[in-house]
Amino acid sequence: MNTRSTLPPGQHETEDFPRFGLTPFAVRFPTVIDTVSLQIGGDVKTPVDVGPALASLPRVEQRSDFHCVTTWTHRRLHWGGVRFADFYREVVVPMAGAAPEASFVVLRGQDGARTSLPLEDLLADDVLLADQLFGQPLTIEHGAPLRLVAPAHYGYKSVKHLSRIEFWRSSENYRPFGLRFMVHPRARVAHEERGQWVPGWLLRHLYRPLIRPTVVRFRQAMQQRLQSSGAGVPGEGS
Ligand SMILES: Nc1nc2c(c(=O)[nH]1)N[C@H]1C(S)=C(S)[C@@H](COP(=O)(O)O)O[C@H]1N2
Ligand SMILES: [Mo]
């Protein structure tokens, strides 16, 4: 799939690739960045930490564009990691015993961020569990030690600091983070599924003014963390 020649509806290209998210997460940081621990849960036979098993999967490299729902796009990022589809078939099914009907997937980050996607969307060829960006281990800014990369979906589906994935038969017990209109169950960029109830073209205009202050907020929080000792976890629990 080539998404490089034209931008998706309502997106514009940015030179920088900022640390970004909903503002409560600006001051939340991962606690474990030197090893990968990835818990599998939900409707599975054996809840298990599959972090070590990721090393047995074939590695892939991928160039893809990254589209934030607030309308910025950063093109041609070069990710390294493993395919979610390989991970599901070779690790999740055999090790955790996930049932095929458990197709509602919840992804959680060490900072408390969470999102959901249908299993079918995660099995697409371009969805990765990434641990590298441009040949280097992921930085804290961009999701250390492991993040999802789902290029066909808005950035909020690409959970950073990924620590837990749940496979559920039903979505009924899941509550999204934040305001419901901002969360689309699929969030496909090509269909401009930015949120629910409010049309994508209208959300473009509501979100655009938020980009600059959000970038500043996330950058300042990162600088403060660096200044106040590398090991601490400032702002945790807010
Ligand atoms: N754990 C976690 N994952 C997250 C977020 C976050 O705040 N925390 N923000 C999301 C949003 S809205 C976007 S656009 C991308 C930003 O990725 P970046 O910070 O690497 O640019 O991460 C997504 N995944
Ligand atoms: Mo985003």
Side-chain angles (χ1 to χ4, degrees):
M1 188 175 58
N2 185 358
T3 51
R4 274 164 216 154
S5 48
T6 52
L7 283 170
Q11 296 298 112
H12 64 261
E13 187 172 353
T14 48
E15 286 301 310
D16 47 302
F17 180 40
R19 176 174 181 252
F20 206 87
L22 287 171
T23 49
F25 296 105
V27 292
R28 300 189 193 180
F29 295 94
T31 49
V32 183
I33 55 168
D34 39 15
T35 57
V36 173
S37 165
L38 184 59
Q39 300 290 328
I40 304 300
D43 292 319
V44 298
K45 285 200 193 90
T46 321
V48 61
D49 180 353
V50 296
L54 295 180
S56 68
L57 295 171
R59 291 196 62 85
V60 293
E61 299 205 4
Q62 169 172 298
R63 240 172 238 285
S64 46
D65 299 348
F66 190 93
H67 310 288
C68 174
V69 73
T70 61
T71 71
W72 61 263
T73 288
H74 192 89
R75 295 184 134 177
R76 291 177 289 277
L77 291 169
H78 187 165
W79 302 102
V82 298
R83 282 212 170 83
F84 192 95
D86 292 337
F87 160 74
Y88 179 73
R89 290 180 188 123
E90 291 168 36
V91 174
V92 175
V93 173
M95 287 182 70
E101 321 85 78
S103 62
F104 178 78
V105 184
V106 176
L107 305 118
R108 299 181 188 273
Q110 291 184 42
D111 57 354
R114 58 182 181 270
T115 196
S116 71
L117 272 173
L119 177 59
E120 194 192 338
D121 288 15
L122 288 164
L123 295 179
D125 241 19
D126 60 356
V127 178
L128 306 185
L129 295 177
D131 58 5
Q132 288 189 344
L133 179 59
F134 293 110
Q136 300 296 318
L138 288 185
T139 57
I140 288 182
E141 283 93 332
H142 294 303
L146 185 76
R147 79 176 298 168
L148 190 79
V149 172
H153 301 261
Y154 286 116
Y156 65 89
K157 298 293 184 182
S158 289
V159 173
K160 299 188 282 186
H161 325 301
L162 196 59
S163 58
R164 184 177 168 83
I165 306 182
E166 295 157 5
F167 297 83
W168 296 102
R169 291 197 176 87
S170 143
S171 62
E172 67 189 6
N173 292 320
Y174 174 69
R175 294 289 165 269
F177 186 91
L179 301 171
R180 209 60 65 85
F181 80 91
M182 301 171 78
V183 180
H184 191 284
R186 297 187 79 183
R188 289 170 300 175
V189 176
H191 298 266
E192 209 175 351
E193 292 168 339
R194 292 183 198 272
Q196 305 185 77
W197 311 310
V198 185
W201 61 264
L202 184 55
L203 286 177
R204 289 180 204 171
H205 298 287
L206 296 178
Y207 285 160
R208 230 166 242 161
L210 305 177
I211 297 174
R212 201 180 291 271
T214 304
V215 170
V216 169
R217 180 118 179 215
F218 271 75
R219 195 193 295 133
Q220 282 172 345
M222 193 71 220
Q223 280 163 356
Q224 273 159 18
R225 180 183 190 273
L226 290 172
Q227 280 156 13
S228 65
S229 112
V233 191
E236 187 76 356
S238 60

